[in-house]
Amino acid sequence: QKEVEQDPGPLSVPEGAIVSLNCTYSNSAFQYFMWYRQYSRKGPELLMYTYSSGNKEDGRFTAQVDKSSKYISLFIRDSQPSDSATYLCAMKAGSYQLTFGKGTKLSVIP
Amino acid sequence: EAGVTQFPSHSVIEKGQTVTLRCDPISGHDNLYWYRRVMGKEIKFLLHFVKESKQDESGMPNNRFLAERTGGTYSTLKVQPAELEDSGVYFCASSLMVRKGETQYFGPGTRLLVL
């Protein structure tokens, strides 16, 4: 079983839609949870960082963590064409080594 | 402030050749990481430097890979001899310190193709 499972998509939505991206994990030692956005031919860019169960909001983005279910989500409200990218969940148990999901490729259609 | 830079952006080599990838972290970042993504797989950790010291190289696939960070500034990752399965995107990241809230800033990656 992979440590982190993420549906690679692709996911295509109309502009303005609410997008829901999800990851599940198996390693109970993971304490810190991140979402990265990666545009084509670029490196991953940190979007959201959380370390406790619950919700964290930043503008149009909400990160949700449910440690009891080992499930994390990223919601994007009022999606824009500029949100079209690959979204990667990442987790870590200690202080540095990130474990990534495969990434979900999102297209927001104008 | 310049971000993490990597050179070259692309490299195409033949099996058995040697390739050296370079990473320049953000100035002042003591922590430097190498990750790799092979086709269809997740991005995977390779190793972690603190200044010039290797803290963790548990992700290095085999002894054909050699990473160095002389002087604690830029880092190189050498693959010698390259094999077909080494093809992928090699990312470098850096961070100011190692703590729970630290952000790793990624470079654009080097796309390596071994023929």
Side-chain angles (χ1 to χ4, degrees):
Chain A
Q1 181 185 14
K2 287 187 183 298
E3 284 192 289
V4 179
E5 297 278 2
Q6 182 177 11
D7 186 343
L11 180 62
S12 185
V13 301
E15 183 175 355
I18 296 174
V19 176
S20 174
L21 303 166
N22 312 292
C23 289
T24 59
Y25 63 95
S26 58
N27 188 347
S28 299
F30 287 140
Q31 300 178 52
Y32 311 109
F33 306 90
M34 287 137 279
W35 285 95
Y36 281 82
R37 178 176 61 195
Q38 185 178 15
Y39 291 114
S40 182
R41 302 296 182 181
K42 302 288 186 183
E45 169 196 17
L46 183 66
L47 264 183
M48 300 286 285
Y49 178 100
T50 58
Y51 57 88
S52 58
S53 284
N55 294 350
K56 180 178 181 180
E57 191 173 316
D58 184 0
R60 295 186 295 110
F61 299 91
T62 299
Q64 188 175 80
V65 174
D66 182 345
K67 288 187 178 181
S68 62
S69 301
K70 297 189 180 68
Y71 188 88
I72 69 170
S73 300
L74 177 70
F75 298 97
I76 307 174
R77 289 184 300 281
D78 188 25
S79 56
Q80 302 295 308
S82 58
D83 294 328
S84 298
T86 295
Y87 289 80
L88 301 143
C89 63
M91 311 176 186
K92 57 182 179 178
S95 294
Y96 58 87
Q97 185 178 140
L98 297 177
T99 300
F100 283 88
K102 278 190 174 182
T104 300
K105 187 171 183 179
L106 172 68
S107 295
V108 181
I109 311 302
Chain B
E1 179 182 283
V4 177
T5 58
Q6 293 187 243
F7 182 84
S9 59
H10 296 79
S11 182
V12 181
I13 61 172
E14 292 188 353
K15 175 182 171 180
Q17 289 186 322
T18 297
V19 63
T20 300
L21 314 180
R22 174 171 168 146
C23 168
D24 286 78
I26 293 172
S27 178
H29 281 194
D30 286 341
N31 294 278
L32 187 149
Y33 315 82
W34 284 98
Y35 290 84
R36 175 176 76 166
R37 181 169 192 160
V38 298
M39 182 77 75
K41 302 286 189 180
E42 305 82 359
I43 296 174
K44 284 201 179 289
F45 169 83
L46 295 179
L47 85 159
H48 169 218
F49 282 100
V50 177
K51 297 186 180 179
E52 65 275 9
S53 300
K54 291 177 188 174
Q55 287 294 111
D56 181 356
E57 48 184 335
S58 60
M60 295 287 263
N62 50 62
N63 59 10
R64 295 185 293 103
F65 289 75
L66 174 64
E68 295 180 322
R69 193 183 182 195
T70 308
T73 54
Y74 72 91
S75 174
T76 58
L77 180 64
K78 181 191 288 188
V79 185
Q80 178 183 29
E83 298 289 343
L84 300 179
E85 64 264 25
D86 300 332
S87 297
V89 184
Y90 289 77
F91 292 104
C92 174
S94 72
S95 68
L96 187 58
M97 58 185 71
V98 176
R99 57 180 173 86
K100 69 176 185 181
E102 57 93 18
T103 297
Q104 294 185 22
Y105 296 89
F106 281 78
T110 293
R111 281 149 187 81
L112 174 64
L113 179 60
V114 182
L115 301 176

